[in-house]
Amino acid sequence: MWFTAVDYIIFALLLILSSAIGLYYALSGGKQRTTQEFLLANRNMGFLPVTLSLLATFQSAVAILGVPSEIYRSGTEYWFLGCSYILGLLIPACVFVPVFYRLRLTSTYEYLELRFSKKVRICGTITFIFQMVIYMGVVLYAPALAFSAVTGFSLWGVVLTMGLVCTLYTTLGGLKAVIWTDVIQTLVMFAGQLAVIIVGTAKVGGIQDVWAIAVNNSMISGINFNPDPFVRHSIWSLGIGGIFLMLSLYGVNQAQVQRYLSSRTEKEAVMSCYAVFPCQQLVLGLGCLTGLVMFAYYQKNEIQNPEMIKVPDQMVLYFVMDILQDFPGLPGLFVACLFSGALSTISSAFNSLATVTMEDLIKPHFPNLTESRATLISKGLALKYGLLCLGMAYISSLMGPVLQAALSIFGIVGGPLLGIFCLGFFFPFTNSIGAITGLLAGLIMAFWIGIGSFVDRMSVPTAAPILNVTSAPEGGNLTVVTTLLTSAAAAQSISGLKKFYSLSYMWYSAHNSTTVVIVGIIVSLLTGPTKGRDVNPHTVYLVLPKLLFFLPEEYKERLRFGVPHIAEDKSDSPNPNVEDKASNGFLNGHAKGAEKDMEENDSGFSRPNGGHSYVVQETSL
C-alpha cells in the first residue's frame, strides 16, 4: 500500500500545475494590481469556468471520502438528496443571483447594509469569518489524517505542503487563479473517481454483479416517507431540508456569490448556477456508485488489515489502495483527486475571507485608501488567512472528538446566515433590529442543538468506530461531514431535551434559518416595521405578488407593502463603474426624493462604502 514513483509524479504534477497557474496570473494581464482583478477577476469570467469552480468550491476531500462511506454503511437512501438540487439551485438562479449581480457588490454582506444597516452588515461578516476560519483548518486536516493513516505519509508533511501551495497560488493569482485551478482540480476529481469505479467494478465482475450484490443485501433504499424530523434520513429531510442547505451554499455564501459576481454578464452568472445542477447530480451519482462498488468488493473479498481503519472516512482510501495497488499511477491519481477537493475548498475560503475583510471591515473605515494599497492589503490578508489555516489545522489535531463538532459548525452557522438574507429579500417591512435579533436567536438555537446533540451522543458508550460512526455529508457538494455517534441506546425511546437534540442534521439549516425569519418578523413588528417607501426596491424580491399573480391588481399592490415600483429594463449589460447621478436617498430614508431622481437619471443608488455609484439594471421585482 505504498506509492510508486509514478504515483509521486502524478501527485506532484497537480501541485506544480496549481502553483504555475497562480504564477501565470500574477505575471500576466493586469498582474493583480487592482482589487477588482484580485477579488473579482475583473468581472470577466465565462460561465463554464465559473460553473466548474462553483462545483469544486464545496466538493472537498471530505465529501469525496464521506459519500461513499455513507453509502457503504447505510445504503443508497442518501442519493435522494439530489431531489433538493432542483429548487436548491433554481431559487438562487432566479432570485439571489440577479439581485446580487445588479447591485454590483463585491462582498455579499454589502447587501445587508443596503437593505438594513451597517451594524447588520458587520454582524453578518463576523459570523461568516467565524464560520470559515474554523472550517478551513478542519477541511485541510481531516483528509490529511485519513490519507496519512492509510498510506504512511507524514501527516504534517501533507498538511504543510497542501496549505503552502494553496496559499501561494491564491495570494499570487487572485480569484482568476482560484477559478482556473478549480477547473483543473474538478477534472482531476472526476478522473480519480472514475478510475476507482472502473477498476473496482471490473474486480467485482461487472456492474451487473455490483447491482445484484447491493440488491441482495438490501443496499438499494426505497423512499422513506416518514415525516418524523428526528429520523436521520427521509425523503422529507433530504428533499426539503436539503433545499435550505443548498440555498445557504449556492444562494448567499460569499465564496459562491463571489464567483457569480466575477461573470461577464448577469446572463452568464445565472447560466453558471443552472449548469451546476447536472454537475451536482453527476458528482452525487459517482459518490453513490463508488460506495456500492466498495460494498460489493468487500462482500467478495475480506478486509486484510481492519485495524488500519480507525474512522469510516479511511475506508474509502483503504479500498482505493487495495484495488489500485497493481496499477501504478492510479493511486496517485486518486490522491490527486482527493487533495484537489481540499485545495479548491481552501483556496475559496482564503479568497472569500480576504474579500469580506477588505470590503466590510477595512474599506469602510479607510475610504481614501488607494487602489494599489487596497490590493496589497488584500493579498496580505489572503496570505495571513493561509497561514491561519495551518494553525487551525494544528488546533484541529488537538481537538480529538471535538473535531467532528467543529465540522458541523459550518452547517450550523450557514442556516442563520441564510435566514437573515431571506428576511431582507422577502419581507420588506423587517428592520435592522429584527434582523440582528433574529440572527442572534438563530445562532443561539443552532449552537444549542448542534453542541447539545454532540455532547449528548458523546455521553453514550460506543462500540467499534467502523460500525458506530456515521459521516454524513450535508449536501452532495458540501465539504461538511457531520459525525453522528450512534449505538444500541439510540433505538430506545427518548424524550425531553434528548429528543430535541436528536433532530436530523438535514433539518439544521431549515430549522435555524426559519428561527431567524420568525424572530426577525416578530421583533420588527414590535419595534416598528420599515415603511415600504423607505426600502430600496433593488434590494427586495416581492415573492407574494408573483405567487398570487391571479389576484386583482389592488390586492397585489397591497402585498408590495408600499415598496416603490421599478421601471422594467431588460438590458443584460452589467454597466460596471458607471457614475450615477441618482440620489442616495434610499440609504438615508428619503425615498420620495430618490424615486424622483431615479426617474430623471435612469435609476441607481449609492454604494454603502460611500465610494462609486453604479447604474443598476432594473426589473420589476
Side-chain angles (χ1 to χ4, degrees), residues 286-305:
L286 289 176
C288 292
L289 188 54
T290 301
L292 290 179
V293 171
M294 183 166 63
F295 180 84
Y297 180 81
Y298 286 118
Q299 288 297 303
K300 287 189 169 185
N301 301 275
E302 185 180 353
I303 298 178
Q304 298 297 323
N305 301 291

Side-chain angles (χ1 to χ4, degrees), residues 223-493:
I223 301 177
N224 181 3
F225 286 103
N226 189 342
D228 187 353
F230 302 102
V231 172
R232 182 168 173 267
H233 284 162
S234 69
I235 189 62
W236 311 112
S237 64
L238 292 167
I240 299 176
I243 291 174
F244 287 85
L245 183 64
M246 294 295 290
L247 290 178
S248 68
L249 289 173
Y250 285 91
V252 300
N253 186 278
Q254 171 66 28
Q256 303 293 56
V257 173
Q258 203 167 329
R259 279 148 181 74
Y260 300 137
L261 299 175
S262 71
S263 301
R264 281 190 290 259
T265 63
E266 179 188 324
K267 182 179 180 180
E268 291 196 69
V270 172
M271 283 177 60
S272 67
C273 192
Y274 283 131
V276 170
F277 174 72
C279 296
Q280 283 288 9
Q281 295 288 2
L282 177 60
V283 166
L284 181 60
L286 289 176
C288 292
L289 188 54
T290 301
L292 290 179
V293 171
M294 183 166 63
F295 180 84
Y297 180 81
Y298 286 118
Q299 288 297 303
K300 287 189 169 185
N301 301 275
E302 185 180 353
I303 298 178
Q304 298 297 323
N305 301 291
E307 70 280 356
M308 296 181 65
I309 308 170
K310 296 181 174 60
V311 294
D313 290 340
Q314 293 176 350
M315 185 71 197
V316 180
L317 267 174
Y318 179 92
F319 169 65
V320 169
M321 301 300 289
D322 194 1
I323 66 170
L324 298 183
Q325 58 184 323
D326 298 327
F327 298 87
L330 290 188
L333 178 62
F334 185 80
V335 170
C337 157
L338 181 67
F339 282 97
S340 289
L343 283 171
S344 61
T345 303
I346 298 166
S347 62
S348 299
F350 293 168
N351 195 266
S352 60
L353 284 168
T355 301
V356 298
T357 304
M358 169 55 66
E359 295 295 323
D360 299 332
L361 302 181
I362 295 178
K363 274 190 175 180
H365 298 288
F366 300 94
N368 298 322
L369 201 63
T370 63
E371 188 65 25
S372 59
R373 183 72 173 171
T375 305
L376 183 63
I377 294 175
S378 297
K379 292 181 178 180
L381 288 170
L383 175 62
K384 290 178 181 178
Y385 278 121
L387 298 177
L388 180 60
C389 174
L390 296 176
M392 289 304 300
Y394 177 72
I395 293 174
S396 297
S397 71
L398 302 176
M399 292 171 71
V402 186
L403 173 62
Q404 288 79 26
L407 282 168
S408 66
I409 287 176
F410 190 94
I412 288 173
V413 177
L417 284 176
L418 171 64
I420 196 170
F421 279 97
C422 288
L423 268 182
F425 269 78
F426 306 125
F427 303 95
F429 55 85
T430 54
N431 58 33
S432 60
I433 298 176
I436 293 175
T437 307
L439 178 62
L440 291 176
L443 289 172
I444 291 171
M445 184 65 71
F447 280 100
W448 181 19
I449 295 178
I451 296 176
S453 173
F454 178 78
V455 172
D456 182 60
R457 292 178 186 275
M458 285 299 295
S459 65
V460 179
T462 58
I466 190 63
L467 298 177
N468 65 17
V469 182
T470 300
S471 296
E474 296 189 7
N477 63 317
L478 183 57
T479 54
V480 175
V481 172
T482 303
T483 300
L484 303 173
L485 302 175
T486 61
S487 66
Q492 299 176 0
S493 177

Side-chain angles (χ1 to χ4, degrees), residues 110-121 419-425 427-436 520 524 530 539 586-587:
E110 291 179 68
Y111 167 84
L112 295 179
E113 181 173 355
L114 287 169
R115 174 62 181 84
F116 295 113
S117 68
K118 183 172 291 186
K119 291 181 180 179
V120 180
R121 175 182 181 178
I420 196 170
F421 279 97
C422 288
L423 268 182
F425 269 78
F427 303 95
F429 55 85
T430 54
N431 58 33
S432 60
I433 298 176
I436 293 175
S524 294
T530 301
T539 63
F586 280 118
L587 294 179

Side-chain angles (χ1 to χ4, degrees), residues 37-52:
E37 184 176 13
F38 184 75
L39 301 177
L40 289 175
N42 269 342
R43 301 184 190 267
N44 197 33
M45 299 301 298
F47 94 94
L48 183 58
V50 170
T51 297
L52 295 179

Side-chain angles (χ1 to χ4, degrees), residues 578-599:
V578 177
E579 283 296 323
D580 176 18
K581 298 178 182 179
S583 167
N584 63 353
F586 280 118
L587 294 179
N588 296 325
H590 304 297
K592 293 183 178 180
E595 279 187 80
K596 181 178 180 181
D597 287 340
M598 288 171 66
E599 293 174 356

